[in-house]
Amino acid sequence: MESVTPQDISYLERAVALAWEARERGDHPFGALLVTPGEEVVEARNSVVTGSDPTGHAESNLVRLAGRLDRGALSRGTLYTSTEPCAMCAGAIYWSGIGRVVFALSEAELGTLVEEEEGVPPLDLPCREVFARGGRSIVVDGPVGLPAAVEVHQGFWN
């Protein structure tokens, strides 16, 4: 496990800003970005509602966008996300080859804010457990306590 740096915090704050943008346009409040060597940045927001796509999570959208990048760059890249990736997104991250994930709000903490989404309770499966079932190592740092990562969810799921 790597230590979280001030630059990591800055990127997490950007992920939360992307989550606010998603919320403001009517989507679920999640945002993510990928930073590769040389500081190439790819950003994505949740698009479940506006895209009419239940797989339109910020992280899965990001993986789709990052698919054009070199596998070596992805393996040395870091995905920053406002909230811990769900099992679906963790699988996409695994298959993409991304080497590190840093998240602010944990899935367990999110579960205290979201009882259900359209009648379905959240999936309780930390990304570390998904990654541990794979044949390659992914560094995971988080949760990182950012109050804004909680605030973006407040009042949304009621």
Side-chain angles (χ1 to χ4, degrees):
M1 184 184 251
E2 297 182 20
S3 60
V4 176
T5 67
Q7 187 166 19
D8 289 331
I9 299 294
S10 175
Y11 287 129
L12 281 177
E13 289 169 345
R14 176 63 185 150
V16 172
L18 293 167
W20 276 109
E21 290 176 14
R23 179 178 175 157
E24 289 166 2
R25 73 177 188 199
D27 282 304
H28 300 166
F30 299 96
L33 62 133
L34 174 70
V35 180
T36 62
E39 302 297 308
E40 181 170 0
V41 178
V42 179
E43 298 182 338
R45 296 153 199 81
N46 183 287
S47 62
V48 167
V49 176
T50 59
S52 300
D53 179 1
T55 68
H57 293 194
E59 299 88 348
S60 61
N61 288 339
L62 182 69
V63 167
R64 281 185 207 95
L65 293 170
R68 63 181 168 75
L69 300 177
D70 174 75
R71 291 283 288 190
L74 290 172
S75 71
R76 294 184 309 277
T78 299
L79 186 151
Y80 296 92
T81 183
S82 59
T83 305
E84 182 174 1
C86 72
M88 175 186 71
C89 292
I93 292 164
Y94 176 82
W95 290 113
S96 75
I98 292 168
R100 181 176 179 231
V101 173
V102 181
F103 64 87
L105 186 69
S106 73
E107 61 88 24
E109 292 171 291
L110 178 63
T112 67
L113 301 170
V114 182
E115 289 184 31
E116 61 182 42
E117 176 193 331
E118 298 177 8
V120 180
L123 189 59
D124 182 14
L125 184 59
C127 69
R128 283 180 176 92
E129 289 185 34
V130 175
F131 296 148
R133 300 295 181 116
R136 71 176 189 88
S137 177
I138 299 173
V139 174
V140 179
D141 288 312
V144 176
L146 290 181
V150 174
E151 292 164 7
V152 71
H153 291 281
Q154 292 176 332
F156 180 83
W157 302 100
N158 309 13

